[in-house]
Amino acid sequence: MTEGVDRLKGREEEGRREGKKGGRRGREVGTIIRSLGCCPSEAELHDMLAEIEEEEPTGYIRFEKFLPMMTKTLMERRYKPSPEDVLLKAFQVLDTDGKGYLTQDELVKYMQDDGEPFQQEELEEMLSAAVDPEKGTILYRDYVSRMAVEET
């Protein structure tokens, strides 16, 4: 848990060195939260941001408000990621032919049409990590292994 808080402080210090003095944009916060091993839904993320947003919304979240909320979230081990076997089963359900992979077009369709839709930026980020550049497919067994988070 203290590792997560230390990473938060390090990111904030890095942001200040880059000249980001007014806090982080709300959409950056989701990326930060997920990088700490928390996987809230978009609705849960929206609720988290509403909890720490300024009274007059500016689109930015101040670190001084974010840190206590995130520390509590990490301490309570909220928004745990799905285990590797659950992620693998989800991909296998999508792979109706049992090929062991999905095409980029198939994955894009699922990510945009079913469940919580991904924003374009999130989709591009996921595809850049998931698609095998040589084959142009998502070898989901390998991808799940790379994205699984070890419990500590």
Side-chain angles (χ1 to χ4, degrees):
M1 200 296 297
T2 55
E3 178 186 321
V5 173
D6 290 344
R7 286 175 58 196
L8 277 174
K9 290 178 180 175
R11 283 178 183 260
E12 180 62 15
E13 184 58 37
E14 182 180 305
R16 289 180 190 201
R17 282 194 304 270
E18 293 172 2
K20 296 179 180 176
K21 297 178 183 174
R24 297 288 179 165
R25 286 188 301 240
R27 66 176 183 250
E28 291 178 324
V29 174
T31 302
I32 293 168
I33 290 171
R34 290 181 178 111
S35 77
L36 295 169
C38 295
C39 297
S41 68
E42 285 300 311
E44 291 166 330
L45 181 60
H46 178 72
D47 291 345
M48 293 169 80
L49 293 175
E51 179 184 325
I52 59 175
E53 204 169 42
E54 297 292 327
E55 299 205 5
E56 297 261 337
T58 61
Y60 287 85
I61 302 298
R62 301 200 56 74
F63 183 72
E64 296 77 22
K65 289 190 170 200
F66 177 75
L67 182 61
M69 182 273 304
M70 197 63 223
T71 300
K72 181 179 177 189
T73 298
L74 290 170
M75 295 274 295
E76 293 173 354
R77 295 181 171 265
R78 292 171 61 197
Y79 312 117
K80 293 169 104 175
S82 298
E84 186 172 344
D85 64 324
V86 172
L87 295 172
L88 183 58
K89 284 178 188 172
F91 276 103
Q92 289 170 333
V93 167
L94 300 176
D95 179 14
T96 56
D97 296 332
K99 307 176 299 245
Y101 66 88
L102 296 172
T103 67
Q104 183 171 332
D105 290 341
E106 288 173 322
L107 187 60
V108 167
K109 179 189 172 300
Y110 291 131
M111 302 313 287
Q112 291 179 332
D113 296 347
D114 299 330
E116 273 188 48
F118 275 49
Q119 295 177 5
Q120 187 62 35
E121 184 178 312
E122 294 170 320
L123 187 58
E124 288 170 7
E125 186 176 323
M126 179 185 179
L127 290 173
S128 72
V131 176
D132 180 315
E134 293 176 16
K135 297 182 175 142
T137 61
I138 296 90
L139 302 169
Y140 55 79
R141 214 174 267 284
D142 295 341
Y143 179 60
V144 165
S145 293
R146 287 193 317 264
M147 69 181 211
V149 176
E150 293 290 322
E151 286 262 350
T152 56

